[in-house]
Amino acid sequence: MTITGIVAEFNPFHNGHKYLLDQAEGLKIVAMSGNFMQRGEPAIVDKWTRAQMALENGADLVVELPFLVSVQSADYFAQGAVDILDRLGIDTLTFGTEEVLDYGRFSQVYEEKAEQMRTYLAALPDNLTYPQKTQKMWEKFAGIHFTGDTPNHILGLAYAKACAGKGIRLQPIQRQGAGFHSTEKVAIASATAIRQHLSDRNFVGRVVPDADKFLSAPQVSWENYFPFLRYQILTHPDLTQLFQVNEEVASRIRSAISDCPTVEELIEAVATKRYTKARVRRILAYILVSATDLALPEAVHVLGFSRKGQEHLKTRKKTVPLITRIGKEPWDRLTQQADRIYQLGNPDIKEQSIGRVPVRR
């Protein structure tokens, strides 16, 4: 039987995600971001709600990406997720993309020329952002041209790198509906559109499967956490002790914080050509949760499974340490710390770590 892996955020789960799961083959394993997203945003609803929605719409197994995988740039996000899925025995990786290209060829190119490509990347001038450097690298070695306006395509190339040499088949699926950041109210609307039009319950009901579950869950946004972020910035003795915060960024953040009443204004004030808004937003998430550079956990945290998914887990438990209930012994201290901060955003958010057991379908 084909075992398909999917890397996802489901922020929130919508018709496009259901379409992706419907297109995937065989047993479907989802490696899903926890309560903080790849671009440094808190999840609109908690990870347990999103895992349940995925299971009810075709997923067989949902496992959690640790905080220092889920809140990372594309390459690290993809590498960490693929490593987990590979350990769980996938033979296919399915993902949505703006362009259905021969990602298998790109993976082979990277497998054959990884050292040359890394050397080329390192030699590019520092006035380029990392995404710009990556774009130039792929143009030179694979003859592919793209822009920063196609985030799923960029992630697809990151998956191609991460799968190099692993024997994992890449199965791109043409993205359906509106563009990634579109706010159009169409049948397969983007997550951005859904977050922007939450007050329109009729619209949300059309584009989100099991919309009642989503709409009844406690919801949060960055603004719920801005007072806590301000406190961290104003009281932390040395922000450079935190993950990926250097002197320049720390100085810019401290200079701007008193004059910025919202997180978006703070991001605008801190961002430069070198420090993109996405990177700044991730850094603010690191500051919010007091993230430090800790080793990733060995064990895989299971958020939920179907009967088929449970049977598959039984075949992996001798080779992969699995966590199905976090108790006195932590799974991943940083992810659990992030969960505690996440709960501060809405008093109705339930406990996110200790004692929680997998969702079953």
Side-chain angles (χ1 to χ4, degrees):
M1 179 177 63
T2 298
I3 303 174
T4 296
I6 294 172
V7 184
E9 294 185 322
F10 298 153
N11 188 40
F13 189 91
H14 57 64
N15 287 342
H17 298 133
K18 178 172 172 51
Y19 176 81
L20 182 65
L21 281 167
D22 288 344
Q23 298 304 302
E25 303 169 10
L27 183 86
K28 303 164 190 180
I29 305 177
V30 177
M32 189 186 78
S33 296
N35 285 323
F36 287 87
M37 303 292 99
Q38 195 251 336
R39 286 176 169 261
E41 298 172 332
I44 188 169
V45 295
D46 72 272
K47 60 190 178 186
W48 300 97
T49 301
R50 287 158 33 238
Q52 184 174 12
M53 293 178 74
L55 288 165
E56 290 176 357
N57 287 278
D60 291 301
L61 173 61
V62 182
V63 298
E64 181 176 6
L65 298 179
F67 180 87
L68 279 188
V69 172
S70 64
V71 189
Q72 284 276 21
S73 60
D75 280 354
Y76 293 101
F77 175 82
Q79 187 66 61
V82 168
D83 285 349
I84 290 170
L85 290 169
D86 186 41
R87 294 170 67 200
L88 290 171
I90 68 163
D91 51 53
T92 301
L93 184 73
T94 292
F95 54 94
T97 182
E98 290 87 359
E99 297 178 80
V100 176
L101 304 174
D102 189 355
Y103 288 92
R105 180 177 74 83
F106 303 144
S107 187
Q108 187 174 0
V109 167
Y110 192 77
E111 182 179 357
E112 294 171 355
K113 300 180 179 180
E115 188 173 345
Q116 294 169 256
M117 293 171 77
R118 285 193 293 264
T119 301
Y120 175 81
L121 196 68
L124 290 171
D126 287 338
N127 64 327
L128 297 175
T129 64
Y130 186 77
Q132 289 171 333
K133 291 180 179 181
T134 300
Q135 180 177 339
K136 287 185 176 295
M137 179 191 75
W138 283 110
E139 286 176 355
K140 178 174 177 60
F141 288 91
I144 182 171
H145 299 268
F146 62 96
T147 71
D149 297 327
T150 54
N152 283 328
H153 181 36
I154 292 167
L155 265 177
L157 291 167
Y159 295 143
K161 282 178 62 178
C163 289
K166 294 184 182 296
I168 296 173
R169 180 172 69 96
L170 292 163
Q171 183 190 31
I173 302 295
Q174 178 73 52
R175 181 182 172 86
Q176 301 294 304
F180 191 80
H181 294 301
S182 169
T183 58
E184 292 181 80
K185 292 183 176 181
V186 295
I188 300 184
S190 71
T192 301
I194 296 167
R195 293 194 297 269
Q196 184 166 321
H197 299 294
L198 283 174
S199 60
D200 187 343
R201 295 179 71 91
N202 287 332
F203 165 65
V204 174
R206 293 195 305 271
V207 300
V208 173
D210 306 314
D212 288 344
K213 186 177 279 77
F214 166 62
L215 289 168
S216 63
Q219 296 177 4
V220 293
S221 71
W222 240 122
E223 298 309 322
N224 296 99
Y225 301 93
F226 191 57
F228 305 113
L229 176 65
R230 284 177 60 88
Y231 177 83
Q232 291 281 56
I233 293 169
L234 293 171
T235 62
H236 201 289
D238 183 5
L239 291 174
T240 63
Q241 294 176 354
L242 301 178
F243 188 61
Q244 291 192 359
V245 184
N246 60 30
E247 290 283 359
E248 181 183 358
V249 172
S251 176
R252 292 184 66 82
I253 290 172
R254 286 198 187 280
S255 297
I257 188 62
S258 297
D259 298 321
C260 296
T262 68
V263 69
E264 289 304 321
E265 289 176 81
L266 179 60
I267 291 165
E268 287 281 354
V270 175
T272 64
K273 286 186 177 180
R274 184 180 180 189
Y275 300 106
T276 64
K277 290 181 183 180
R279 183 176 177 186
V280 171
R281 194 176 282 107
R282 279 192 291 269
I283 288 171
L284 295 180
Y286 302 149
I287 294 172
L288 174 67
V289 305
S290 294
T292 54
D293 192 3
L294 299 175
L296 295 176
E298 284 293 317
V300 175
H301 184 216
V302 179
L303 293 174
F305 45 72
S306 67
R307 184 171 296 179
K308 281 201 306 183
Q310 186 177 28
E311 289 302 314
H312 179 72
L313 282 177
K314 291 176 182 178
T315 70
R316 309 303 296 180
K317 63 182 181 181
K318 290 184 179 179
T319 55
V320 182
L322 300 169
I323 296 289
T324 54
R325 184 179 183 277
I326 299 171
K328 291 182 180 180
E329 293 300 317
W331 164 58
D332 177 49
R333 291 184 187 277
L334 182 52
T335 302
Q336 291 173 235
Q337 183 170 298
D339 283 345
R340 288 192 291 272
I341 299 298
Y342 182 78
Q343 285 180 253
L344 297 176
N346 187 318
D348 293 328
I349 296 175
K350 296 179 181 179
E351 169 63 44
Q352 292 294 293
S353 296
I354 306 300
R356 294 294 297 261
V357 296
V359 178
R360 294 171 180 256
R361 170 172 66 84

